[in-house]
Amino acid sequence: MFKKGFDFFKNKYLSKLVIFTILVFLSIFPVASQSSQNQNFPQGSVQGTTQMNPNVRGLNIPNVDISITQPRNGQQMAFSLQVLLLLTVLSLAPSLLILMTCFLRFSIVLDFIKRALSLQQVPPTSVLNGIALFMTLFVMWPVFQQIYSNSFKPMSEGTATLEQAYSQAEKPLKMFMYSQMMNDTTYIDTFMTMAKLDTPKTLDDVPMYVMIPSYILHELTVAFKIGVILYIPFIVIDMVVASILMSMGMMMLPPVQISMPFKLMLFVLVDGWGLLTQQLFISVIK
């Protein structure tokens, strides 16, 4: 019994000693053992290189360097002011395009017709704004040409100062805005009174900071009037469909779901987009 226990003890610690010896051997020669095992593994493999082809050229990325220096003469100072003015105009360009042109009227009327037809996603708002933008460019193109010819081009050529360029760019825009309010100058009189200015005798007596808010309120009023007129025939269709559904006892069925196809058919049969675009042009171009 004692001998069996000694043999068990000897075999147990002998196995541990063998395992420890193997681990020490592997820790001393890991690289040699791995290289000898993996040299030809997998079978049939070849050794490759990571050298790049010398005929291949890399990308030449230019170096961008920005330096700020003091202006040495008046010409450099004028150029710096022109760049600053250009950046300011570009940052304000969306607001100027929306508020000082007919874009405001076009976009509001197109949104009204979309709501009158009970359309939710078609056409998308971005498409309507794009239509309004290109219609605005079509209408305002003569004004933009006058601004370019009388203001921007002389200033870029150096034949006009900044004050002269601003005065020449102001005139076509002011004339366009006043032509839309010619029959109703209520807003101009209101803002002139609030600014405590004298009653204007000519268009030059109306400052630009009075003309712009007056024009915005006028465009909002005109656009909402057009929207109300556009809503009337479609409201009649909704009322007729709702009355028919109630008389048939279909109170749980939404009337808009039934009236929308009829409104679309009416709008397409009368060439709604063509008539709407033509009347919008007529309301602006007089």
Side-chain angles (χ1 to χ4, degrees), residues 60-71:
N60 295 325
I61 301 177
N63 185 22
V64 179
D65 186 14
I66 299 176
S67 60
I68 301 176
T69 58
Q70 296 291 335

Side-chain angles (χ1 to χ4, degrees), residues 71-82 158:
R72 298 180 180 179
N73 49 39
Q75 186 176 3
Q76 293 182 356
M77 177 64 76
F79 178 75
S80 301
L81 292 177
Q82 289 178 2

Side-chain angles (χ1 to χ4, degrees), residues 101-113:
T101 62
C102 53
F103 178 84
L104 185 63
R105 181 187 303 187
F106 291 165
S107 61
I108 292 176
V109 171
L110 291 176
D111 190 72
F112 263 113
I113 195 63

Side-chain angles (χ1 to χ4, degrees), residues 100-168:
M100 299 177 63
T101 62
C102 53
F103 178 84
L104 185 63
R105 181 187 303 187
F106 291 165
S107 61
I108 292 176
V109 171
L110 291 176
D111 190 72
F112 263 113
I113 195 63
K114 176 182 176 180
R115 296 178 184 275
L117 290 171
S118 302
L119 300 175
Q120 301 297 327
Q121 303 295 333
V122 180
T125 305
S126 58
V127 174
L128 294 180
N129 290 334
I131 295 173
L133 174 62
F134 283 99
M135 290 172 60
T136 302
L137 292 177
F138 176 79
V139 174
M140 299 294 297
W141 193 254
V143 179
F144 293 155
Q145 283 184 334
Q146 292 181 13
I147 294 174
Y148 176 78
S149 301
N150 301 331
S151 175
F152 182 78
K153 188 176 180 179
M155 186 182 67
S156 62
E157 294 175 352
T159 58
T161 61
L162 182 62
E163 292 80 6
Q164 293 175 349
Y166 174 77
S167 177
Q168 293 297 325

